[in-house]
C-alpha cells in the first residue's frame, strides 16, 4: 500500500481554511496543475517537501534567497536580532545602517524609505510620483507586475494608448482610468502615448529586465527612450527592481543598462527572505513624504529590526568581491546546458540570463514582449515542469515566471538539472 502523499493531505487541509490553500496564488500550481509541494525545511540550494523529497530549488522564495537557504552569517544575525526584540515601532540604528548600505549600492538614490513588501513599495512610489508631480496619469507595460495595488492591476485598453481596465474584481474602473498600459519594447507606441498625454504623466513604471513574463529584457533603445521621454515631459522614471535589484547584479538592472531612474523600488534580496522592501530616489522627491511632506506613507513593521538584520547580513555577503561573477557563471552554465540539451534533440528552445536570474522559452526566439511569451505551448511547459519536479528539480510553476540561481547551487546541481531536462526534452520533441 503506497504511503499517503503528505502534500495531498496538507493541500486538502489548507484548502479548508485558506483560499485556494495558499497565501499567494502562484504557489497553488493552478497554471501547471497538480498538488503544490508543502515545504518543511530548506538548506543551501535545496528544500524538502512534506514527503521528505528533496528538490534543487530554482525559486529561492521568488528571488530573496540569493545566498541559498540558511546562510550561517545570516542565521546568526537573525538569531542575535530576535534576542534584542522582534519589533519596537520606534526608530533603530540598524535601519540607518541598512539605508546607508542601500544608498551606497544604488547611486541613483539619495534617500530611501523601508517598507514590508514589494507591493507596498511600488504602491508608495506611485503615490509619491503623483504627489511630487501633481499629475494623475501613469504608464506601465503589459507583462510587467508591480504588486497588487489597485492602480497597477490593469490590462491594456483597446486600441492605441488608451487607458487600462482592471484585471481584478474589486478594482473600480475609476481607479485604473489613469493607467496607460503599453507594449513592452514598443518605442513607437511609447512615443505616441507621450505625444498624447506626456504633460499629464506622473510616472512610467517598468521592470527594466522583466521577470514577470519569464525573462524579457528592455532593449537598450527602448530603455533609453523611456528615460528621454520622461525627462522631456517632466514625468518620473520608476524602475521596479523588486526582482532585479541585487539579483541581476550588484547595481541592479539600472547598473546593467546604465540608465538612471528617478525612483527605484526594491524588495526580495534586500530582506534576505524576511518581509522587507524599499523605495528611494533624489532627496527633493523623497522629502515630499510624510512626516516632512504632503505624501502620506506609513507601516507598523516598516524597518523591522529582525528583517533589517537579515537584509544587512545578506547585503554584506553579496557585496563581497567576485560574488556576482561567480553567480553569473553558474547561471550561464545552466542556461547554456539547457540550450545544448534542447538543440541535441531539435526541441525549439531558447534561454537568457543576467547575474542570478534566468528564463527559458519553448521557442527558438527570445520574446521581446508579453504577447510573444504567451504563444508558448502551455501543455509542453506543464509537461516540462512536472517532469523536472518528478526528478527533484523545482522551477517556477508558471511559464511567465523567471528562475533564480543562488550562491549555494553547485556544479553537480546544475549538471543534475541539465540531465533531468535532457530526459524530458526528448519526450517533448516527440509530442
Ligand atoms: P510582493 O508584494 O510580492 O513582495 O512584491 C510585488 C512585486 C513587485 N514588483 C516585482 C517586479 C515583483 O516581481 C513582485 C513580486 N513578484 C512575484 C513573483 N513574480 C512574487 C511571487 C508571488 O506573487 O507570490
Amino acid at each position: 500500500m503506497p504511503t499517503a502523499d503528505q502534500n495531498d493531505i496538507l493541500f486538502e487541509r489548507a484548502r479548508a481554511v485558506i483560499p485556494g490553500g495558499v497565501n499567494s496564488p502562484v504557489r497553488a500550481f493552478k497554471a501547471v496543475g497538480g498538488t503544490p509541494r508543502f515545504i518543511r525545511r530548506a538548506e543551501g540550494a535545496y528544500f524538502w517537501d512534506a514527503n521528505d523529497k528533496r528538490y534543487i530549488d530554482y525559486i529561492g522564495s521568488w528571488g530573496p534567497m540569493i545566498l541559498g537557504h540558511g546562510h550561517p552569517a545570516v542565521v546568526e544575525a537573525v538569531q542575535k536580532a530576535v534576542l534584542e526584540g522582534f519589533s519596537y515601532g520606534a526608530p533603530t540604528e540598524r535601519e540607518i545602517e541598512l539605508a546607508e548600505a542601500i544608498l551606497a549600492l544604488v547611486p541613483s538614490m539619495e534617500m530611501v524609505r523601508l517598507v514590508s513588501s514589494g507591493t507596498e513599495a511600488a504602491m508608495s512610489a506611485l503615490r509619491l510620483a503623483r504627489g511630487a508631480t501633481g499629475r494623475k496619469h501613469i504608464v506601465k507595460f503589459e507583462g510587467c507586475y508591480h504588486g497588487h495595488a489597485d492602480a497597477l492591476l490593469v490590462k491594456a485598453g483597446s486600441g492605441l494608448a488608451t487607458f487600462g481596465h482592471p484585471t481584478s474584481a474589486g478594482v473600480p474602473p475609476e481607479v485604473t482610468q489613469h493607467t496607460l498600459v503599453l507594449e513592452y519594447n514598443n518605442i513607437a507606441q511609447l512615443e505616441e502615448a507621450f505625444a498624447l498625454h506626456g504633460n499629464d504623466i506622473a510616472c512610467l513604471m517598468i521592470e527594466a529586465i522583466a521577470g514577470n513574463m519569464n525573462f524579457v529584457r528592455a532593449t537598450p533603445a527602448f530603455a533609453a527612450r523611456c528615460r528621454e521621454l520622461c525627462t522631456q515631459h517632466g514625468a518620473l522614471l520608476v524602475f521596479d527592481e523588486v526582482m532585479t535589484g541585487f539579483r541581476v547584479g550588484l547595481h541592479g538592472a539600472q547598473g546593467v543598462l546604465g540608465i538612471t531612474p528617478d525612483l527605484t523600488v526594491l524588495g526580495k534580496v534586500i530582506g534576505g527572505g524576511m518581509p522587507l522592501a524599499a523605495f528611494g530616489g533624489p532627496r527633493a522627491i523623497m522629502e515630499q513624504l510624510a512626516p516632512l511632506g504632503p505624501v502620506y506613507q506609513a507601516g507598523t513593521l516598516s524597518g523591522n529590526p529582525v528583517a533589517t538584520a537579515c537584509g544587512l547580513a545578506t547585503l554584506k555577503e553579496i557585496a563581497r568581491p567576485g560574488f556576482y561573477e561567480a553567480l553569473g557563471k553558474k547561471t550561464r552554465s545552466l542556461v547554456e546546458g539547457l540550450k545544448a540539451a534542447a538543440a541535441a534533440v531539435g526541441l525549439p528552445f531558447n534561454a537568457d540570463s543576467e547575474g542570478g536570474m534566468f528564463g527559458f522559452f519553448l521557442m527558438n526566439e527570445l520574446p521581446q514582449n508579453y504577447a510573444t511569451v504567451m504563444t508558448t505551448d502551455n501543455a509542453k511547459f506543464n509537461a516540462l515542469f512536472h517532469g523536472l519536479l518528478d526528478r527533484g528539480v523545482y522551477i517556477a510553476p508558471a511559464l511567465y515566471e523567471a528562475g533564480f540561481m543562488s550562491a549555494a547551487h553547485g556544479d553537480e546541481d546544475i549538471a543534475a538539472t541539465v540531465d533531468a531536462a535532457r530526459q524530458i526534452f526528448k519526450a517533448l520533441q516527440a509530442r
Side-chain angles (χ1 to χ4, degrees):
M1 176 72 174
T3 53
D5 184 315
Q6 294 304 312
N7 293 305
D8 287 333
I9 292 168
L10 287 173
F11 194 34
E12 189 174 347
R13 224 177 99 200
R15 280 180 296 185
V17 292
I18 302 171
V22 293
N23 286 308
S24 198
V26 72
R27 303 175 189 172
F29 278 22
K30 203 168 172 196
V32 293
T35 302
R37 300 311 191 253
F38 283 71
I39 304 305
R40 286 211 189 289
R41 63 187 177 92
E43 188 181 337
Y46 317 116
F47 53 31
W48 287 259
D49 73 6
N51 298 327
D52 207 28
K53 176 176 177 169
R54 192 196 82 164
Y55 299 89
I56 302 171
D57 172 18
Y58 288 107
I59 298 281
S61 179
W62 301 97
M65 307 318 294
I66 196 166
L67 298 177
H69 296 284
H71 187 287
V74 179
V75 171
E76 186 186 348
V78 170
Q79 286 174 329
K80 186 170 175 296
V82 294
L83 295 177
E84 295 164 352
F86 284 73
S87 181
Y88 316 126
T92 62
E93 182 178 4
R94 197 176 294 134
E95 290 163 84
I96 308 169
E97 290 170 352
L98 181 56
E100 289 167 344
I102 291 169
L103 298 185
L105 294 170
V106 187
S108 62
M109 283 187 180
E110 290 179 324
M111 298 192 97
V112 65
R113 172 63 58 85
L114 304 178
V115 296
S116 299
S117 74
T119 292
E120 198 183 346
M123 173 186 74
S124 306
L126 183 55
R127 183 180 312 128
L128 176 59
R130 283 172 156 163
T133 60
R135 298 176 179 183
K136 289 180 295 193
H137 295 340
I138 59 176
V139 172
K140 77 172 290 286
F141 297 92
E142 197 174 35
C144 289
Y145 174 66
H146 305 293
H148 59 89
D150 282 357
L152 292 165
L153 289 180
V154 193
K155 61 176 178 276
S158 56
L160 191 60
T162 53
F163 289 95
H165 305 292
T167 53
S168 167
V171 177
E174 295 79 13
V175 173
T176 59
Q177 65 184 334
H178 301 298
T179 307
L180 271 168
V181 183
L182 305 180
E183 185 178 68
Y184 201 77
N185 279 322
N186 186 328
I187 292 178
Q189 200 184 62
L190 181 72
E191 292 175 336
E192 173 95 25
F194 272 86
L196 287 171
H197 307 290
N199 295 333
D200 297 323
I201 293 174
C203 70
L204 178 155
M205 187 177 282
I206 187 169
E207 292 179 68
I209 297 176
N212 286 288
M213 45 176 156
N214 202 299
F215 185 104
V216 179
R217 293 175 187 273
T219 63
F222 177 68
R225 202 70 185 110
C226 287
R227 178 62 280 172
E228 286 160 9
L229 288 166
C230 283
T231 304
Q232 184 185 331
H233 291 272
L236 299 183
L237 176 61
V238 184
F239 268 23
D240 178 346
E241 297 226 41
V242 166
M243 191 183 283
T244 54
F246 306 113
R247 168 54 65 179
V248 298
L250 187 56
H251 306 297
Q254 56 196 269
V256 171
L257 281 161
I259 298 258
T260 301
D262 297 301
L263 292 176
T264 300
V265 183
L266 296 169
K268 295 182 191 279
V269 169
I270 67 166
M274 298 202 76
L276 197 151
F279 63 104
R283 184 176 301 277
I285 298 175
M286 293 301 286
E287 290 187 338
Q288 304 278 319
L289 282 170
L292 292 180
V295 180
Y296 193 69
Q297 184 276 328
T300 301
L301 297 178
S302 295
N304 173 272
V306 181
T308 50
C310 192
L312 264 173
T314 301
L315 289 191
K316 189 175 171 193
E317 296 303 324
I318 65 172
R320 291 184 193 284
F323 179 85
Y324 285 96
E325 288 73 15
L327 185 68
K329 188 164 175 279
K330 285 180 185 180
T331 321
R332 281 191 301 278
S333 163
L334 173 65
V335 161
E336 292 311 315
L338 292 173
K339 285 162 77 172
V345 297
L347 179 74
F349 183 93
N350 209 330
D352 192 5
S353 74
E354 186 70 41
M357 187 169 149
F358 66 92
F360 61 79
F361 301 94
L362 295 177
M363 58 182 81
N364 287 322
E365 69 179 300
L366 280 178
Q368 296 285 294
N369 57 48
Y370 180 71
T372 308
V373 173
M374 287 299 137
T375 61
T376 301
D377 179 330
N378 259 302
K380 272 193 177 180
F381 175 83
N382 295 351
L384 174 59
F385 172 80
H386 281 289
L388 289 170
L389 198 66
D390 293 346
R391 291 169 175 80
V393 176
Y394 195 117
I395 64 168
L399 75 89
Y400 50 77
E401 298 286 359
F404 304 97
M405 185 66 72
S406 86
H409 285 76
D411 294 342
E412 68 286 358
D413 302 312
I414 293 164
T417 304
V418 172
D419 187 49
R422 184 179 294 113
Q423 295 168 38
I424 306 157
F425 284 168
K426 201 172 181 65
L428 282 186
Q429 181 52 8
R431 281 170 78 106

